[in-house]
Amino acid sequence: MTPTRSPRRHDLDWLRVLAFATLILYHVGMFYVTWDWHVKSDHMSPYLEPLMSLVNPWRLALLFFISGVALRFLLDSRGSRAVASDRIDRLLLPLGFGMLVVVMPQAYVELRAKDEIESGLLGFFPRYLSPFESFSVITPTWNHLWFLAYVLVYSLLLAACHTWMSRVRARMGRAAAMVLRRTPWLVLVVPALPAMIYAIVLDPAFPPTHMMINDWATHAHSLTMVLLGWFAAKSATFWSAIRACLVPALLIAVGLGAALSLSAGGDTGGPGALFAVTQEAYAWAVIASVLGLAQRFLARPSRALTYATEAVLPWYILHQSIIVVLGYAFLDSTVSLWIEASVILLGTLLGCAVLHELLIRRVSWIRPLFGLKRRDTPARAMTR
């Protein structure tokens, strides 16, 4: 039987685009805050850190949630084997190409800034690939592309477990929906509970490494959000509760965000378990808020959305390398902070736009290297 096509979830397509746009701004900010990063501006200061500390708890959690929703739609419509093959094609190839080519300049620039290597990008390339070289950074590396690696692993895991998970959902879904219909405010509490437990039990023991192995706290947080997205994807009760609780979610997000801002800590260390639990409650309140706002204001198609949906993965793959290279070019310069930041931000956006528009989307054999289907297979937006 041919599956019936469902209306597209334009709200979640928009959220995915906006979440990746936020990620680009966040990584530009990483050049200026005092936290450790690949290269640091001569204008480095802590002034942006409170704002970035409010973005950090939910920015990737939202993307993992949306990934789980998308996986549910794909698995239900295409089946586990087809989805596993598709995820390998759409994620593994860009990850491999990204590690070999796109991310390499980041390692080069970081090592040049540390005076570990001589100048010459082409001369560094074989050293970057060599298993016999020993640098202060891992080479070859995936840096920001760790997200693709983790989503790929979770996608294959869910594809393998899809039939069993569907049975679990069929048995438990009706009871869960009944409870949620009677007490919709639980949608603001229950999804945050696992993250709160992880924050107390796992986070102190397993600081994030993004190296796949021994990164148990990151896996717990990220995979839980993927699973939550999978189970919530087609639950009308869940999305109805999100809409009904929009105002309380916004109030909680603002209140907890203000409390976190007034507390010492954030990403530089906080006052223990209470801070960690509050941060996770805040993160889910923000996610619930943006899910509700997107349903209300972004549930409509547009040509801009169609274009951005295709562009988002190439832009994600490219953006950090452009930021790091542009930032390195400004080291030891005498230009003002505002000129430097403007050039880096606009240069990153322009570089992503030009490379995507003039090269990636127009050359058939390059498209798969950045996660795009070939020209004869148009991309689909997320469906209900």
Side-chain angles (χ1 to χ4, degrees), residues 1 7 17 87 94 101 110 114 152 161 165 185-186 198 236 241-242 256 269 271 281 284 286 329-330 344 348 350-351:
M1 180 181 296
V17 170
R87 293 299 89 182
V101 178
E110 183 172 354
K114 294 177 178 178
L152 173 60
C161 299
M165 289 170 57
W185 56 267
L186 287 176
Y198 304 150
I242 287 290
L256 293 181
W284 177 249
V286 172
F330 278 101
I344 291 175
T348 300
L350 182 62

Side-chain angles (χ1 to χ4, degrees), residues 66-130:
I66 295 173
S67 296
V69 174
L71 276 170
R72 171 69 180 281
F73 295 139
L74 284 171
L75 287 165
D76 283 355
S77 64
R78 300 181 60 185
S80 297
R81 183 171 299 180
V83 169
S85 177
D86 177 78
R87 293 299 89 182
I88 291 173
D89 290 342
R90 299 286 297 279
L91 295 177
L92 184 59
L93 181 58
L95 177 62
F97 177 75
M99 291 178 64
L100 292 178
V101 178
V102 179
V103 174
M104 186 269 290
Q106 296 183 40
Y108 171 76
V109 162
E110 183 172 354
L111 293 172
R112 284 286 296 142
K114 294 177 178 178
D115 293 324
E116 291 188 36
I117 58 173
E118 301 296 327
S119 61
L121 182 64
L122 293 180
F124 171 69
F125 186 65
R127 299 184 66 190
Y128 174 78
L129 299 179
S130 173

Side-chain angles (χ1 to χ4, degrees), residues 29-346:
M30 284 297 294
F31 184 56
Y32 291 100
V33 294
T34 61
W35 308 332
D36 184 45
W37 206 52
H38 309 290
V39 290
K40 304 302 299 185
S41 172
D42 297 328
H43 301 289
M44 179 177 60
S45 76
Y47 294 120
L48 273 179
E49 291 172 12
L51 176 60
M52 292 180 63
S53 292
L54 290 178
V55 174
N56 201 40
W58 56 265
R59 59 188 179 90
L60 289 172
L62 174 62
L63 285 171
F64 279 116
F65 177 88
I66 295 173
S67 296
V69 174
L71 276 170
R72 171 69 180 281
F73 295 139
L74 284 171
L75 287 165
D76 283 355
S77 64
R78 300 181 60 185
S80 297
R81 183 171 299 180
V83 169
S85 177
D86 177 78
R87 293 299 89 182
I88 291 173
D89 290 342
R90 299 286 297 279
L91 295 177
L92 184 59
L93 181 58
L95 177 62
F97 177 75
M99 291 178 64
L100 292 178
V101 178
V102 179
V103 174
M104 186 269 290
Q106 296 183 40
Y108 171 76
V109 162
E110 183 172 354
L111 293 172
R112 284 286 296 142
K114 294 177 178 178
D115 293 324
E116 291 188 36
I117 58 173
E118 301 296 327
S119 61
L121 182 64
L122 293 180
F124 171 69
F125 186 65
R127 299 184 66 190
Y128 174 78
L129 299 179
S130 173
F132 304 108
E133 293 285 353
S134 179
F135 300 114
S136 63
V137 299
I138 296 173
T139 56
T141 182
W142 53 39
N143 281 2
H144 68 293
L145 300 185
W146 70 269
F147 177 80
L148 298 185
Y150 282 44
V151 169
L152 173 60
V153 170
Y154 301 156
S155 299
L156 297 178
L157 179 61
L158 263 66
C161 299
H162 180 64
T163 300
W164 174 77
M165 289 170 57
S166 297
R167 293 172 183 162
V168 172
R169 178 190 53 79
R171 293 174 183 174
M172 301 177 58
R174 184 173 299 178
M178 185 179 301
V179 172
L180 198 55
R181 276 194 294 268
R182 293 175 178 173
T183 51
W185 56 267
L186 287 176
V187 79
L188 302 180
V189 177
V190 175
L193 294 179
M196 293 178 180
I197 296 172
Y198 304 150
I200 297 172
V201 177
L202 292 178
D203 289 3
F206 301 100
T209 65
H210 300 155
M211 294 175 62
M212 190 69 73
I213 298 173
N214 205 36
D215 198 14
W216 298 115
T218 300
H219 284 308
H221 285 284
S222 304
L223 182 56
T224 297
M225 291 306 297
V226 171
L227 291 171
L228 178 60
W230 187 94
F231 280 105
K234 295 186 176 182
S235 171
T237 307
F238 173 86
W239 295 106
S240 176
I242 287 290
R243 289 193 300 271
C245 294
L246 174 56
V247 172
L250 286 168
L251 293 174
I252 292 171
V254 172
L256 293 181
L260 291 171
S261 297
L262 294 173
S263 300
D267 285 348
T268 57
L274 178 60
F275 185 92
V277 167
T278 303
Q279 194 173 55
E280 298 301 337
Y282 158 78
W284 177 249
V286 172
I287 293 171
S289 298
V290 298
L291 292 175
L293 290 170
Q295 286 188 84
R296 180 169 297 187
F297 298 109
L298 298 178
R300 59 179 63 89
S302 74
R303 290 185 178 180
L305 176 59
T306 301
Y307 184 88
T309 297
E310 181 189 65
V312 67
L313 187 53
W315 280 52
Y316 167 70
I317 293 171
L318 292 168
H319 80 279
Q320 184 164 295
S321 291
I322 299 175
I323 293 170
V324 170
V325 170
L326 288 176
Y328 177 74
F330 278 101
L331 296 185
D332 300 321
S333 71
T334 58
V335 301
S336 70
L337 166 63
W338 296 109
I339 293 176
E340 178 187 281
S342 298
V343 171
I344 291 175
L345 177 58
L346 295 177

